């Protein structure tokens, strides 16, 4: 049922309130998650910045120690020349070389002349093709130079070369002094720390983007080219900071903190992937969203339920109001008198029809007792006084109006309880004066009709008696009289016996046939043992032979068994209609059809005679007999005819109960068409 505007508004209000509450919950949750995410991100950036500071200090100490060692060896070499031995010098000066894998002196030709580690092939190592050698050879003013990581020729493992230029006393190029440091030295500080798989620590050359050393989780690497990283864009703006970008090597979104060393050409970076930063946060957010969704669903269902309850209550009130209006309309506009009566007979409500019935106003009725309206019937007093001998009843009683006139009425009553639980009677009175009159008139008409039918039956019987008497007198009596004369003559005249006796026998046979025909017309066929098909077929043959009519009898759809009375009725109807055709139609052809369809037996008799107007009053009783025979079995007989168009009699009779399961065996075996 469609909701009215007020009901829709109530549902929208409760649903809107629920949606606002859900929006408030989600807004607070998202704002809280946003603030918490910002706090987590700030903590992660601070952590990375602190690590970057520690890495910067560690790198500065390492580079400072390496440079101090280089400058010491350089001073000794420039003072003493090629006669110094590096390993002895380091031992004599107690130099700290724990993090240094080797100090070497290389002359101006690139040949190794001294090293802090044993040289098995002295003079066999040449480094003039190395980048750091070429840089110092071509640049007199170059100070400390940090080269790209490469495979050391002396140690045969990856090393980062730190170098300074050596000069002859005249200031010309005298070679270089180098210190080799393993890339892992720079990440050694966090070697024993548990880093997550996507945590990054790296040292990068600012001029070409080459990584001096890089540690990703537990994996160490060096020499990668990250020149396309956004790091250098941020570095151009400020030497210390942080940014968010994809890792230049693996493409993983990562939060980076970076610092450029003050006195040395190196950048240190620390990175943490976004998935690691927000791992716990995302798990907690997922749980909080599920909880919020469940809470939202509960709030929405609760609000919808409240709205539905409000709407249902409003609908119930509207239905009650509508019912009250409807029943009030029925009460006010009913053509039947309606009274509300308390036990004891006091009338508390009456509709306008009651006022018209009893010729009293509603106020007068409500101030009277119901027993005053019922012609002093003792049953009424007992019924209303005792309360409830039955809960309802329907009777015809005699009522009286205020003017003393009486009228018959049909009274229906029922006991019900009002809203306070008090028992009351609702009484409906219908004035049946007209119905009584019509019923009396109908009964009188039925009696008149029965008398007329009886008269017609008597007349028919008299005509049949007259017909039988005439047939016996005119035919049989005359023939038997002739037989008597022939026999007397044969007795008295022996010479005439041979001539008269055959004639006498012929007249006797004629009398027998006349009596047989007369008996067949009067008596019923043996339909108890003979099928109706055979009986009608025999009737057709007799009528054809005596009248010259061409009669077609078709019964292919007749299957189910009829009782004897129905068979006899159908046989008499066919017999009556054939007599009507012979006497009145002037027909030459007759078609008879007997069949069954579902639960109905059909009989049709059609002729090609002169026809008649069925609407005109009929004086004979033949058609009335046919209609009466069909009506006995709840059947219908219909006449279709018109002047010059022949006549069709159609009879429909319901099958008897159980006939659909029984088969009329003799009729099934009969031929489907008879002519």
């Amino acid at each position: 049922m469609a909701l009215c505007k007020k009901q829709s508004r109530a549902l929208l209000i409760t649903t809107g309130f629920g949606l606002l509450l859900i929006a408030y919950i989600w807004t607070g949750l998202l704002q809280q998650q946003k603030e918490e995410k910002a706090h987590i991100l700030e903590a992660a950036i601070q952590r990375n910045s602190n690590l970057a500071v520690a890495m910067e200090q560690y790198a500065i100490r390492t580079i400072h120690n390496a440079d101090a060692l280089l400058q010491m060896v350089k001073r000794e070499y420039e003072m003493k020349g090629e006669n110094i031995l590096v390993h002895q010098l380091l031992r004599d000066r107690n130099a700290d070389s724990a993090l240094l894998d080797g100090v070497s002196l290389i002359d101006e030709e690139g040949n190794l002349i001294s090293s802090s580690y044993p040289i098995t092939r002295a003079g066999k190592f040449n480094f003039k093709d190395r980048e750091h050698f070429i840089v110092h050879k071509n640049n007199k003013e170059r100070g400390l130079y940090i080269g790209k990581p490469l495979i050391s020729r002396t140690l045969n493992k990856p090393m980062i070369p730190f170098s300074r230029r050596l000069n002859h006393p005249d200031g010309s190029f005298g070679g270089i002094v180098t210190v080799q440091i393993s890339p892992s030295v720079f990440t050694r500080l966090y070697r024993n720390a548990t880093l997550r798989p996507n945590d990054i620590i790296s040292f990068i050359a600012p001029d070409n983007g080459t990584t001096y050393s890089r540690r990703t989780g537990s994996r160490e690497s060096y020499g990668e080219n990250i020149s396309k990283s956004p790091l250098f864009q941020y570095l151009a703006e400020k030497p210390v900071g942080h940014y968010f970008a994809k890792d230049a090597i693996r493409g993983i979104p990562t939060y980076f903190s970076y610092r450029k060393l003050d006195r040395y050409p190196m950048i240190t970076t620390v990175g943490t992937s976004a998935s690691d930063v927000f791992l716990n946060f995302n798990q907690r957010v997922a749980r909080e969203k599920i909880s919020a969704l469940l809470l939202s669903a509960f709030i929405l269902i609760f609000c919808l339920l409240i709205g539905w309850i409000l709407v249902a209550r409003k609908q119930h009130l509207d239905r009650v109001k509508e019912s009250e209006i409807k029943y009030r309309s029925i009460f006010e506009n009913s053509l039947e008198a309606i009274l509300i009566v308390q036990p004891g007979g006091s009338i508390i409500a009456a509709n306008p029809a009651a006022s018209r019935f009893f010729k009293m106003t509603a106020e007068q009725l409500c101030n009277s007792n119901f027993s005053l309206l019922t012609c002093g019937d003792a049953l009424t007093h007992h019924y209303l006084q005792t309360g409830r001998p039955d809960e309802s009843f329907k009777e015809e009683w005699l009522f009286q109006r205020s003017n003393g006139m009486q009228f018959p009425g049909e009274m229906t009553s029922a006991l019900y309880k009002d809203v306070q639980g008090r028992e009351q009677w609702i009484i409906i009175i219908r004035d049946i004066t007209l119905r009584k009159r019509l019923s009396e008139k109908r009964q009188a008409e039925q009696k008149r009709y029965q008398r007329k039918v009886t008269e017609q039956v008597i007349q028919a019987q008299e005509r049949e008696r007259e017909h039988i008497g005439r047939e016996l007198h005119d035919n049989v009596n005359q023939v038997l009289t002739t037989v008597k004369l022939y026999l007397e003559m044969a007795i008295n005249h022996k010479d005439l016996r041979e001539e008269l006796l055959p004639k006498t026998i012929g007249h006797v046979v004629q009398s027998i046939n006349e009596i047989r025909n007369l008996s067949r017309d009067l008596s019923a066929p043996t339909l108890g043992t003979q099928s109706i098909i055979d009986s009608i077929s025999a009737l057709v043959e007799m009528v054809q032979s005596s009248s010259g009519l061409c009669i077609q009898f078709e019964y292919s759809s007749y299957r189910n068994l009829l009782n004897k009375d129905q068979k006899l009725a159908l046989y008499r109807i066919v017999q009556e209609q054939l007599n009507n055709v012979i006497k009145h139609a002037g027909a030459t052809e007759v078609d008879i059809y007997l069949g069954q369809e579902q639960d109905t037996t059909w009989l049709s008799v059609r002729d090609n005679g002169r026809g008649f107007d069925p609407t005109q009053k009929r004086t004979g009783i033949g058609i009335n007999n046919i209609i009466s025979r069909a009506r006995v079995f709840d059947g219908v007989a219909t006449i279709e005819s018109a002047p010059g168009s022949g006549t069709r009699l159609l009879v429909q009779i319901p099958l008897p109960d159980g006939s659909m399961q029984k088969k009329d065996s003799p009729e099934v075996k009969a031929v489907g068409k008879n002519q």
Side-chain angles (χ1 to χ4, degrees):
M1 181 172 57
L3 297 177
C4 65
K5 292 183 178 180
K6 291 183 179 180
Q7 295 168 342
S8 301
R9 189 179 302 114
L11 186 60
L12 288 174
I13 289 174
T14 55
T15 305
F17 175 77
L19 293 176
L20 286 176
L21 183 58
I22 292 172
Y24 175 78
I25 292 173
W26 278 93
T27 300
L29 177 64
L30 295 177
Q31 182 64 29
Q32 177 186 352
Q33 291 175 352
K34 181 179 178 180
E35 293 175 357
E36 186 176 357
K37 184 176 181 180
H39 178 73
I40 292 172
L41 179 59
E42 182 180 357
I45 292 174
Q46 185 62 42
R47 169 183 173 273
N48 289 347
S49 298
N50 294 338
L51 289 176
V53 170
M55 295 302 298
E56 177 190 27
Q57 294 173 355
Y58 176 75
I60 289 175
R61 287 197 304 271
T62 302
I63 297 173
H64 177 75
N65 291 339
D67 191 32
L69 187 60
L70 289 173
Q71 293 189 38
M72 181 189 71
V73 174
K74 177 181 178 181
R75 285 194 301 271
E76 291 295 325
Y77 176 78
E78 290 178 348
M79 290 174 56
K80 298 179 180 180
E82 296 180 357
N83 294 326
I84 68 171
L85 296 175
V86 175
H87 63 281
Q88 184 176 355
L89 176 63
L90 296 178
R91 187 174 58 252
D92 294 341
R93 299 293 178 89
N94 294 321
D96 183 10
S97 60
L99 299 178
L100 310 179
D101 288 319
V103 180
S104 301
L105 288 173
I106 301 172
D107 63 14
E108 65 272 17
E109 298 298 328
N111 295 318
L112 178 64
I113 57 177
S114 181
S115 177
S116 62
Y117 48 84
I119 301 298
T120 57
R121 296 185 302 156
K124 299 298 183 179
F125 293 97
N126 188 277
F127 299 95
K128 65 179 181 180
D129 59 335
R130 293 292 195 182
E131 181 182 9
H132 53 282
F133 181 85
I134 297 173
V135 167
H136 287 297
K137 181 178 181 180
N138 296 331
N139 190 344
K140 183 178 180 180
E141 303 299 328
R142 185 78 180 204
L144 176 66
Y145 179 76
I146 305 175
K148 296 179 182 179
L150 46 78
I151 301 299
S152 172
R153 290 177 179 172
T154 56
L155 301 177
N156 196 27
K157 58 183 180 179
M159 303 297 286
I160 302 174
F162 289 75
S163 60
R164 278 188 174 273
R165 176 186 170 109
L166 298 175
N167 294 317
H168 289 297
D170 58 358
S172 61
F173 178 65
I176 62 173
V177 58
T178 65
V179 173
Q180 299 182 92
I181 301 177
S182 173
S184 62
V185 169
F186 288 94
T187 60
R188 186 176 297 173
L189 181 64
Y190 290 95
R191 180 171 296 175
N192 296 325
T194 302
L195 298 179
R196 289 169 293 194
N198 295 323
D199 287 347
I200 299 173
I201 297 173
S202 60
F203 297 89
I204 305 167
D207 55 348
N208 54 29
T210 301
T211 58
Y212 291 119
S213 179
R214 178 184 173 99
R215 183 180 179 87
T216 306
S218 60
R219 178 179 173 273
E220 295 186 356
S221 61
Y222 65 91
E224 296 97 343
N225 187 346
I226 60 169
S227 58
K228 295 182 180 181
S229 171
L231 167 66
F232 299 99
Q233 300 176 6
Y234 291 97
L235 189 64
E237 297 176 2
K238 53 184 179 179
V240 177
H242 58 83
Y243 66 94
F244 176 75
K246 289 184 178 181
D247 178 14
I249 297 176
R250 297 180 303 164
I252 297 176
T254 305
Y255 289 96
F256 289 98
S257 292
Y258 67 90
R259 298 182 69 87
K260 183 179 181 181
L261 277 60
D262 289 337
R263 294 178 294 167
Y264 303 107
M266 184 176 288
I267 306 168
T268 177
T269 65
V270 177
T272 305
S273 68
S275 60
D276 290 336
V277 171
F278 300 110
L279 177 61
N280 295 330
F281 173 77
N282 290 334
Q283 293 175 350
R284 187 168 61 257
V285 165
R287 292 193 298 269
E288 291 175 352
K289 286 184 176 179
I290 292 175
S291 300
L293 285 173
L294 293 176
L295 179 60
S296 300
F298 173 78
I299 292 173
L300 185 59
I301 293 173
F302 178 77
C303 291
L304 288 174
L305 181 61
I306 294 298
W308 180 82
I309 292 174
L310 294 176
V311 169
R313 181 176 180 276
K314 186 64 171 63
Q315 287 179 330
H316 174 71
L317 294 177
D318 289 345
R319 283 196 296 269
V320 171
K321 185 177 180 181
E322 182 181 352
S323 299
E324 182 180 356
I325 294 173
K326 179 172 65 176
Y327 291 119
R328 173 58 62 180
S329 176
I330 294 173
F331 184 80
E332 296 291 339
N333 299 315
S334 174
L335 298 178
E336 300 171 351
I338 302 177
L339 301 173
I340 307 298
V341 182
Q342 292 179 337
S346 298
I347 301 173
I348 59 175
N351 69 339
S355 298
R356 293 194 301 270
F357 276 27
F358 296 101
K359 305 301 182 181
M360 300 171 66
T361 64
E363 291 76 14
Q364 291 174 333
L365 285 170
C366 291
N367 292 326
S368 62
N369 192 283
F370 181 74
S371 60
L372 301 177
L373 308 177
T374 60
C375 299
D377 194 325
L379 178 62
T380 305
H381 301 283
H382 173 75
Y383 185 76
L384 295 175
Q385 290 292 340
T386 56
R388 44 184 304 180
D390 294 306
E391 290 191 354
S392 64
F393 69 93
K394 182 176 181 180
E395 296 286 345
E396 289 186 6
W397 284 4
L398 190 62
F399 296 91
Q400 62 180 1
R401 297 184 173 92
S402 61
N403 56 9
M405 295 181 62
Q406 298 179 353
F407 68 93
E410 183 181 78
M411 183 173 71
T412 303
S413 72
L415 187 66
Y416 78 99
K417 293 183 179 180
D418 61 11
V419 293
Q420 284 80 27
R422 296 174 298 186
E423 291 185 344
Q424 295 178 352
W425 293 96
I426 179 168
I427 298 176
I428 302 174
I429 302 171
R430 179 184 294 110
D431 188 349
I432 59 173
T433 302
L434 180 59
R435 189 174 75 184
K436 284 281 189 180
R437 291 174 183 173
L438 292 176
S439 176
E440 293 172 357
K441 184 177 180 180
R442 183 169 60 252
Q443 291 176 359
E445 184 67 22
Q446 288 178 348
K447 291 180 180 179
R448 187 188 66 80
Y449 178 76
Q450 289 175 355
R451 285 196 300 270
K452 183 177 180 181
V453 170
T454 303
E455 292 174 358
Q456 290 180 346
V457 170
I458 294 173
Q459 292 175 3
Q461 291 175 349
E462 292 298 326
R463 282 195 295 271
E464 287 296 330
R465 291 190 181 98
E466 183 181 352
H467 171 69
I468 294 169
R470 187 170 53 252
E471 289 292 331
L472 291 175
H473 180 273
D474 294 343
N475 294 325
V476 178
N477 187 46
Q478 295 296 329
V479 173
L480 291 178
T481 301
T482 303
V483 169
K484 178 178 177 296
L485 291 175
Y486 280 174
L487 290 175
E488 290 176 350
M489 292 175 65
I491 293 172
N492 297 326
H493 302 282
K494 295 181 179 181
D495 55 339
L496 296 177
R497 290 178 181 176
E498 292 183 2
E499 178 184 353
L500 295 176
L501 287 177
K503 291 181 178 181
T504 300
I505 294 173
H507 286 301
V508 171
V509 172
Q510 182 181 354
S511 297
I512 292 172
N513 289 334
E514 288 292 339
I515 293 172
R516 181 184 294 117
N517 291 336
L518 184 60
S519 175
R520 182 176 297 171
D521 289 339
L522 295 176
S523 64
T526 57
L527 290 171
T529 59
Q530 187 178 9
S531 73
I532 189 173
I533 301 299
D534 294 338
S535 299
I536 295 178
S537 298
L539 177 63
V540 167
E541 290 178 3
M542 184 185 70
V543 172
Q544 281 190 131
S545 62
S546 61
S547 65
L549 285 173
C550 179
I551 303 176
Q552 296 262 352
F553 178 33
E554 201 273 325
Y555 49 86
S556 59
S557 64
Y558 177 78
R559 290 289 181 271
N560 296 303
L561 180 64
L562 299 177
N563 58 43
K564 181 179 178 181
D565 293 335
Q566 288 182 322
K567 292 179 183 180
L568 181 58
L570 293 175
Y571 177 83
R572 291 303 187 193
I573 289 172
V574 173
Q575 188 180 43
E576 184 72 40
Q577 184 62 14
L578 289 177
N579 288 334
N580 291 337
V581 171
I582 294 172
K583 292 179 180 180
H584 308 294
T588 59
E589 296 179 358
V590 178
D591 293 327
I592 302 174
Y593 168 76
L594 178 64
Q596 288 168 329
E597 180 178 340
Q598 295 180 351
D599 57 352
T600 304
T601 299
W602 297 73
L603 173 65
S604 172
V605 181
R606 183 194 299 272
D607 66 71
N608 64 346
R610 63 176 63 93
F612 65 97
D613 185 359
T615 61
Q616 291 183 354
K617 186 176 181 180
R618 298 184 294 273
T619 57
I621 64 170
I623 297 299
N624 290 334
N625 286 340
I626 291 174
I627 294 174
S628 298
R629 290 183 188 276
R631 191 174 294 167
V632 168
F633 300 99
D634 297 328
V636 178
T638 307
I639 301 293
E640 300 175 358
S641 183
S645 300
T647 302
R648 183 195 181 198
L649 169 66
L650 179 62
V651 179
Q652 305 173 51
I653 297 178
L655 290 174
D657 294 339
S659 62
M660 295 302 290
Q661 287 77 31
K662 299 178 181 179
K663 301 297 181 179
D664 198 349
S665 301
E667 292 154 10
V668 173
K669 295 178 181 178
V671 180
K673 195 168 186 180
N674 193 343
Q675 180 174 347

